[in-house]
Amino acid sequence: MLELANSTIERKASSTGLSTAVHNPGLAETPHVVAPSHTIWENAIDVLRGRFSAQTFELWFTSIRCIGSEEGRLTLVVPNLFIRDWFDNHYLPHVLEEIAKQTGRSHQAIWLIDDRLEWAAVQEPAPAIKATPVEPTQSKERTSCNLIKRYTFDQFVVGPSNQLAEAASRAVVAQPGSKYNPLFIYGGVGLGKTHLLHAIGHAIHAQHPDWKIVYAKTETFLNEYVQWVRSNRIDEFRAKYRRNVDVLLVDDIQELSGKERTQDEFFHTFNALFELGKQIVVTSDRFPHQINDLEERVRSRFQWGLIADIQPPELETRMAILLRKAEQEQVHLPDDVAFFLATHIKSNVRELEGLLLRLAAMASLTQRPMTVEYAKEALQQFFHSSSLLPSIEQVQRNVATFYRLSPEDITGVRRNKDIARARQIAMYLSRKLCKASYPTIGQAFGKDHTTVLVACRKIEQSMPSDAALRHDLFELERRAQ
Ligand code: ADP
Ligand code: MG
């Protein structure tokens, strides 16, 4: 769908069918360095990453795409006017200033507003192996160990739901590589696992600045492994993950599921470090036994040390997290509004934080005070939709029951034709009924977003010629009401 930007529209880009507007920061033209196309934008963004919190960054910066830069004009695509206005007012001047600093010339922004952005984002073919995952990008937000600065123990609010995991993490810091090795932290999405993992890294680094601390997402470990094996550079891979490593922190280990060769490599990495008394900490959104297609020997290693879980936070903890977050972001958050938000979002801290920022942004944009009334009004749509929509897990369960399969079949990797079809249907319905994004659905199914996209397309394409499928979908949707 096409939306017009607003009165600042200068011209229409008829070739794209998208609307445009120009922002000119009024910087003087100076002799310039020519940088390749959109890296101009990315380089600037990378530097700015350190100036804003991860939440702010994720909320605003990742919604914007720079699709071209020509003669001092950057073409930026945003999904809606709200994001355009907010970004234009708050962040664009910083980006343009940084670009001017880096390239030596002023730039102006041409906005394209396109609500197909999310769709476009996932349509980009995901390379089978990421092109350059080898070394982490060094942005200011991260330390030299590639840890996110904000994720420290100080910033972590402790409550009954997470105190075991927090205490275990601190115990690991007190005596790395001894009692709790490995530490396996598990819990639902958005509950602070990554935060704790980074906090461990920071705290150990503070005590032992010369130690080699390696933090990696499992996805990075996987990609690097495949890439380095392919280019016959497995020694480099092993050097990174084993040589002189004192602490290995691996995030989202459930992603090893079904990746046999990488599991094998992880197993040997684990053993090598473990035998030397080096600390290993992993996180997972599932208990070791619930991770499908994980070799028994890998699974059993996880049980050698301590398994600590994080549960969804209680009301008081949710309130405390909100108030802490508001303080950090310098948002005025009255207690009653915090209470209102905390009573409505129960299971996910990330969602809670995102909501707070969105609300603060909207209140500031519309110049309304932060009251419960305002929060209710502004977030009505969100609450309405999130409380009425089924969860992805519900959809998975329904589809499994309908086809007499187990929920593990739906989330697993078995390629049996009927199971694969049921899985695709579950993905399609998660998109349609839960209104979830492709990456979110991917996460719930242990797949990447392109797999979900392909599944949804396949179902859509089969529907016109497949009456049985239409019938099943109709029945499944009816049951979801
Ligand atoms: P997970 O890895 O479990 O999916 P994250 O560690 O990424 O979750 O946490 C999501 C967001 O919520 C992060 O911004 C994190 O800082 C915040 N968060 C989670 N739990 C807490 C907590 N107890 N105190 C403060 N912030 C928290
Ligand atoms: Mg995480």
Side-chain angles (χ1 to χ4, degrees):
M1 204 186 91
L2 181 76
E3 265 184 58
L4 291 183
N6 68 10
S7 55
T8 60
I9 295 168
E10 275 203 345
R11 64 185 170 87
K12 276 201 177 169
S14 52
S15 56
T16 58
L18 300 165
S19 58
T20 67
V22 176
H23 176 112
N24 190 335
L27 283 166
E29 294 267 325
T30 47
H32 63 276
V33 181
V34 179
S37 176
H38 334 316
T39 50
I40 294 177
W41 175 262
E42 277 151 25
N43 290 345
I45 295 290
D46 206 35
V47 170
L48 290 173
R49 199 185 279 270
R51 288 199 211 150
F52 303 98
S53 73
Q55 277 287 333
T56 303
F57 197 84
E58 206 171 292
L59 188 59
W60 302 110
F61 287 73
T62 56
S63 330
I64 295 171
R65 277 289 177 85
C66 176
I67 58 168
S69 64
E70 230 177 40
E71 303 190 345
R73 286 171 167 244
L74 295 164
T75 310
L76 306 176
V77 189
V78 272
N80 57 47
L81 271 175
F82 174 66
I83 294 183
R84 200 285 312 265
D85 286 346
W86 185 260
F87 194 88
D88 204 33
N89 280 328
H90 291 80
Y91 306 115
L92 188 63
H94 297 280
V95 183
L96 294 177
E97 195 186 314
E98 183 58 39
I99 289 178
K101 220 190 277 172
Q102 291 186 10
T103 64
R105 77 173 285 181
S106 69
H107 279 72
Q108 56 178 208
I110 303 187
W111 290 103
L112 303 177
I113 299 187
D114 184 5
D115 63 6
R116 291 164 300 184
L117 190 65
E118 189 199 19
W119 178 252
V122 294
Q123 269 182 324
E124 269 186 6
I129 303 162
K130 294 209 173 125
T132 49
V134 182
E135 283 306 321
T137 42
Q138 300 286 328
S139 74
K140 281 187 184 163
E141 192 208 10
R142 288 173 182 258
T143 61
S144 55
C145 310
N146 199 24
L147 297 171
I148 295 174
K149 283 195 172 153
R150 197 173 64 82
Y151 288 176
T152 58
F153 281 117
D154 283 354
Q155 301 289 342
F156 193 80
V157 176
V158 184
S161 55
N162 57 28
Q163 67 187 11
L164 171 67
E166 200 259 359
S169 303
R170 286 194 184 267
V172 158
V173 173
Q175 287 180 300
S178 54
K179 237 179 176 176
Y180 303 123
N181 203 15
L183 172 61
F184 186 101
I185 302 175
Y186 89 98
V189 173
L191 296 185
K193 301 182 296 294
T194 299
H195 190 135
L196 275 182
L197 192 63
H198 285 246
I200 293 173
H202 285 301
I204 296 185
H205 178 67
Q207 285 178 17
H208 309 277
D210 51 333
W211 280 20
K212 181 172 168 191
I213 300 173
V214 175
Y215 164 83
K217 293 181 180 168
T218 300
E219 194 194 353
T220 311
F221 186 88
L222 274 161
N223 285 329
E224 291 184 351
Y225 176 68
V226 176
Q227 190 185 23
W228 276 336
V229 164
R230 286 215 179 154
S231 54
N232 270 332
R233 288 155 63 211
I234 190 69
D235 288 349
E236 281 176 53
F237 178 85
R238 292 188 179 144
K240 173 172 175 183
Y241 288 101
R242 296 188 201 174
R243 193 181 305 149
N244 303 329
V245 170
D246 296 291
V247 180
L248 178 65
L249 309 169
V250 186
D251 212 355
D252 290 321
I253 201 80
Q254 76 278 353
E255 286 174 17
L256 278 183
S257 160
K259 318 279 183 350
E260 274 171 39
R261 285 183 61 199
T262 323
Q263 281 184 27
D264 193 51
E265 186 61 33
F266 179 81
F267 178 76
H268 292 297
T269 305
F270 182 103
N271 287 345
L273 296 178
F274 189 84
E275 276 161 23
L276 292 170
K278 306 301 184 184
Q279 179 69 46
I280 299 154
V281 186
V282 299
T283 72
S284 167
D285 65 9
R286 268 158 264 172
F287 190 72
H289 277 292
Q290 291 166 334
I291 306 177
N292 293 328
D293 296 309
L294 188 65
E295 277 186 55
E296 199 42 49
R297 56 182 188 159
V298 178
R299 201 193 303 275
S300 75
R301 290 292 185 276
F302 292 148
Q303 288 159 334
W304 281 1
L306 177 68
I307 300 183
D309 70 324
I310 306 187
Q311 294 296 328
E314 314 67 26
L315 180 65
E316 292 76 10
T317 316
R318 297 200 294 276
M319 287 273 291
I321 291 173
L322 274 173
L323 293 168
R324 170 81 60 92
K325 182 80 191 162
E327 197 184 301
Q328 254 173 34
E329 298 288 328
Q330 297 177 345
V331 168
H332 170 65
L333 179 68
D335 283 355
D336 56 347
V337 180
F339 182 77
F340 172 76
L341 294 177
T343 41
H344 281 82
I345 301 285
K346 298 194 172 112
S347 59
N348 187 327
V349 180
R350 190 179 293 128
E351 223 167 53
L352 201 61
E353 288 187 342
L355 206 59
L356 169 68
L357 288 175
R358 198 156 301 181
L359 183 67
M362 284 162 74
S364 151
L365 204 65
T366 53
Q367 305 200 327
R368 300 253 317 260
M370 272 270 237
T371 59
V372 172
E373 278 317 299
Y374 179 67
K376 262 189 201 159
E377 193 186 307
L379 303 176
Q380 200 174 25
Q381 204 188 351
F382 181 88
F383 289 145
H384 177 72
S385 50
S386 70
S387 55
L388 290 185
L389 297 178
S391 67
I392 298 179
E393 288 69 30
Q394 265 167 308
V395 168
Q396 290 171 337
R397 270 199 307 275
N398 286 350
V399 173
T401 314
F402 187 77
Y403 289 109
R404 304 204 174 146
L405 300 169
S406 72
E408 287 73 37
D409 286 330
I410 300 290
T411 51
V413 292
R414 283 172 60 195
R415 296 202 176 170
N416 166 308
K417 211 168 139 226
D418 292 341
I419 295 179
R421 170 45 72 102
R423 195 176 295 137
Q424 287 175 345
I425 289 175
M427 288 179 182
Y428 168 83
L429 288 174
S430 300
R431 178 77 182 157
K432 183 162 183 200
L433 303 178
C434 317
K435 312 262 182 263
S437 69
Y438 293 108
T440 307
I441 301 171
Q443 201 165 28
F445 282 81
K447 304 279 184 309
D448 67 24
H449 64 255
T450 34
T451 310
V452 181
L453 182 72
V454 169
C456 293
R457 288 233 187 104
K458 214 162 185 178
I459 297 297
E460 276 161 12
Q461 282 162 2
S462 308
M463 253 190 295
S465 59
D466 188 341
L469 173 66
R470 285 200 304 277
H471 169 269
D472 287 3
L473 288 173
F474 177 79
E475 188 53 31
L476 281 162
E477 283 185 43
R478 193 183 63 76
R479 291 184 190 190
Q481 301 301 315

